Amino acid sequence: MQMAENKITRRFFIGGASAFGAFSGCRFFSAGSDFCEGEKPRLRFGVASDVHICFGRNIDYFKKMLEDFRDREVDAVMICGDIVDLGMVSDLELIASTWESVFPGNRAPDGRHVEKIFVTGNHDWVGHTYGNRAKKLYANQEDFAKNILCSDIKSHWQRIFNEPFSPVYMKDVKGYKFVGAHWLKNDCNGKCEDFNDEIKSFYDSHARDFDPSLPFFHAQHPHPKNSCYGPWAWGRDNGVTTEILSKYPNAVAFSGHSHYSLTDERSIWQGAFTSIGTSSLSYTGLMTDKYPGEYENGPKPKNKVRFMRGFDTIDGKQAMIVSVYDDKIVINRREYFTGQSLGDDWVMPLPAAESKPFAYAKRAKTQRAPEFPANSKVVASKVKHLVKLSKDDKGRYEDAYTVKFPAAEASSSLRAREYTVTFTGSDGNKVMRRILSPAFHLPITNPIAKAEVDCIFVASMLPKPPLKVEVRPLSCFEKAGRAISTVIA
């Protein structure tokens, strides 16, 4: 996924100060060797994606994540693509040297081998084309070949990581199989990626290598089509992986690309196999693709007047730790901006074919709806608001409505991902607007998760007053809580 423009906001300043306070010497999470008390996992590995190292930016978070993985005694670390941002050799070298500083010689402090399960993404392959930044730096072809990974990604990879580069590969970690599938193409459309066509032949030739009594783990950059997040998801592949892994109920796939948040329960999906979105260690994707252009505080469509500004998600730096036991897999979701948990662990019973607690239909049916605190009220009023259509535009004042309401209550297993604000005019006409929760991607302990939600809407695009205003909180599965309302005369 292409990087959003980084803006230093008040949220970034406050959160960043907290994060860098943690960097000064405090460990992010309490140390411990097991997430399930009294049980020692047979396998533990860390998972991240979309690190997007760019001229060294974000490397501190990558190192702190690796140190946390080390302290949790992982046996492997998986990165599901977009390791670097502009496809620069120097940034991948920085990844390798940072890894070496935490796991020297690929070893944990007790001498155990820690395996790398790294795969490339679109930025590793063609990131140099985004904004033509690398071409501007290396106009000379010889310099380009030395500094840009795609000039000879196989040689660069083998030199930097001291291991072979194959389009699809397999590694064994403590008796469990890991398959990595690299991004290998020269473009990216995000909608339905024409993914690695060597996956099928690889699985056909290695079918006997997978013990049906044990889970195995597949890593790639785009999401397997029609799995995690659903058929509308940005960043899905062309279906090749879904077709193959559907033959393996013991397969657990990890994928990135979309940057969608681990706070969204649709990040884990169980069908013929298990598919898990890995989010990003760089920034969180807004996940507005299901209703493109319909979020008032999301990306602004062309030629559409809006008063609400989108919000930065540079504070969304997420990863996970996976612990494998005889009878279950435990997935611990972690946030590395301030060092907080993102919610309850996902516990997946084994064998996966016999129990599928993360099937979408089951969860959508049983999930509770988020609710506002008792006695919550909506406060709305008519105002004049300055509209500027361009930087040089002097602007004009238009009629608008402000709507303010408290954040819905949140727990470690349930939160409001968005709100609907419905305006009903005196003639019965209705207009509904969608608002992303400003804290949809944050730990529930973050102050933003409890802050009032402040909205503003263009009056000319709404029914004529008097207006009834109704606000409802929605879960990620669109379970709607009870409405709170007010009237604008």
Side-chain angles (χ1 to χ4, degrees):
M1 187 173 184
Q2 292 199 30
M3 288 287 289
E5 180 181 359
N6 291 333
K7 300 175 182 177
I8 297 180
T9 61
R10 182 172 180 272
R11 173 190 291 180
F12 179 82
F13 180 79
I14 295 172
S18 173
F20 286 112
F23 282 177
S24 65
C26 299
R27 184 174 289 170
F28 271 177
F29 300 91
S30 59
S33 59
D34 295 295
F35 294 118
C36 293
E37 188 175 351
E39 287 188 75
K40 181 77 173 176
R42 290 193 172 273
L43 171 74
R44 174 168 287 162
F45 59 98
V47 181
S49 186
D50 295 82
V51 185
H52 287 282
I53 300 300
C54 182
F55 296 109
R57 185 184 63 204
N58 213 41
I59 197 66
D60 286 340
Y61 291 105
F62 179 68
K63 184 176 183 181
K64 285 297 178 182
M65 179 195 73
L66 291 182
E67 289 173 340
D68 181 47
F69 289 173
R70 178 197 62 198
D71 294 345
R72 291 291 183 172
E73 300 178 3
V74 299
D75 303 295
V77 175
M78 177 187 290
I79 303 181
C80 296
D82 282 3
I83 306 171
V84 301
D85 192 52
L86 295 178
M88 305 273 286
V89 171
S90 58
D91 282 325
L92 199 63
E93 289 173 337
L94 182 57
I95 285 282
S97 63
T98 304
W99 171 274
E100 182 67 17
S101 72
V102 179
F103 297 110
N106 299 321
R107 298 285 176 182
D110 62 2
R112 291 178 301 105
H113 180 78
V114 179
E115 190 63 79
K116 294 190 294 289
I117 314 293
F118 293 1
V119 298
T120 56
N122 56 297
H123 276 259
D124 306 304
W125 197 260
V126 292
H128 67 282
T129 66
Y130 302 147
N132 286 321
R133 290 179 66 183
K135 185 178 285 188
K136 294 172 185 176
L137 286 170
Y138 306 112
N140 179 279
Q141 186 60 37
E142 185 176 344
D143 290 340
F144 184 90
K146 290 179 180 178
N147 290 282
I148 303 301
L149 288 169
C150 75
S151 64
D152 188 353
I153 197 164
K154 180 177 181 179
S155 294
H156 287 307
W157 186 280
Q158 291 179 167
R159 176 183 61 82
I160 292 169
F161 290 127
N162 194 30
E163 66 177 24
F165 181 92
S166 299
V168 188
Y169 66 86
M170 182 186 295
K171 293 184 177 182
D172 186 289
V173 182
K174 298 179 72 173
Y176 292 86
K177 302 298 185 189
F178 285 79
V179 175
H182 289 289
W183 182 288
L184 299 173
K185 68 196 197 79
N186 292 319
D187 63 343
C188 168
N189 61 48
K191 305 289 183 173
C192 190
E193 304 292 6
D194 184 16
F195 196 54
N196 191 334
D197 59 6
E198 298 190 37
I199 295 178
K200 188 176 188 307
S201 59
F202 179 89
Y203 272 94
D204 286 345
S205 62
H206 289 85
R208 295 183 178 180
D209 293 334
F210 302 106
D211 183 343
S213 69
L214 293 176
F216 73 89
F217 307 98
H218 175 102
Q220 65 177 53
H221 191 51
H223 302 308
K225 188 176 182 179
N226 296 333
S227 64
C228 57
Y229 308 113
W232 52 268
W234 190 98
R236 59 192 181 274
D237 70 12
N238 57 355
V240 60
T241 303
T242 300
E243 178 185 354
I244 294 164
L245 295 186
S246 291
K247 303 173 185 177
Y248 299 93
N250 56 329
V252 183
F254 294 89
S255 54
H257 203 18
S258 68
H259 291 229
Y260 292 159
S261 177
L262 292 177
T263 59
D264 193 301
E265 294 297 320
R266 292 170 294 183
S267 298
I268 179 169
W269 171 94
Q270 285 188 296
F273 62 101
T274 300
S275 178
I276 301 173
T278 56
S279 192
S280 167
L281 193 68
S282 179
Y283 69 93
T284 303
L286 292 180
M287 199 186 286
T288 56
D289 308 281
K290 189 172 185 180
Y291 300 103
E294 292 191 22
Y295 289 90
E296 296 297 301
N297 56 347
K300 182 180 177 181
K302 291 182 179 179
N303 303 319
K304 188 168 184 179
V305 176
R306 280 185 178 161
F307 291 160
M308 290 191 69
R309 297 179 62 183
F311 53 92
D312 290 337
T313 53
I314 197 70
D315 49 0
K317 298 184 182 296
Q318 304 179 2
M320 64 182 81
I321 295 181
V322 180
S323 299
V324 183
Y325 301 85
D326 285 333
D327 60 345
K328 60 183 170 291
I329 296 175
V330 179
I331 300 169
N332 180 247
R333 296 171 284 170
R334 305 165 91 73
E335 182 266 316
Y336 288 92
F337 193 74
T338 57
Q340 298 174 304
S341 171
L342 287 169
D344 290 345
D345 290 349
W346 291 327
V347 180
M348 188 176 77
L350 292 176
E354 297 179 7
S355 176
K356 297 180 180 179
F358 297 102
Y360 273 14
K362 180 190 299 184
R363 296 160 75 200
K365 184 176 181 179
T366 60
Q367 185 185 60
R368 294 185 296 112
E371 300 290 353
F372 287 114
N375 303 316
S376 293
K377 295 181 179 180
V378 180
V379 177
S381 59
K382 187 175 181 178
V383 297
K384 289 286 187 179
H385 194 83
L386 182 65
V387 178
K388 289 187 176 183
L389 300 180
S390 69
K391 184 182 295 185
D392 299 325
D393 185 7
K394 293 182 180 180
R396 65 187 185 280
Y397 282 92
E398 288 196 13
D399 289 337
Y401 299 108
T402 61
V403 177
K404 301 178 182 181
F405 52 90
E409 292 183 317
S411 69
S412 56
S413 59
L414 180 67
R415 65 172 66 214
R417 202 197 84 83
E418 61 187 75
Y419 301 92
T420 58
V421 182
T422 303
F423 298 86
T424 305
S426 56
D427 57 0
N429 288 334
K430 291 187 177 183
V431 171
M432 187 188 76
R433 297 285 184 253
R434 292 182 178 271
I435 305 293
L436 283 166
S437 167
F440 80 94
H441 63 302
L442 299 174
I444 60 171
T445 51
N446 191 300
I448 297 171
K450 299 179 182 179
E452 181 180 67
V453 182
D454 191 350
C455 311
I456 187 164
F457 303 92
V458 183
S460 62
M461 299 175 68
L462 300 174
K464 293 181 179 180
L467 293 169
K468 181 180 180 181
V469 185
E470 290 183 299
V471 183
R472 291 181 184 272
L474 272 68
S475 72
C476 64
F477 286 108
E478 299 197 42
K479 276 285 187 75
R482 288 182 291 274
I484 55 177
S485 62
T486 191
V487 173
I488 304 175

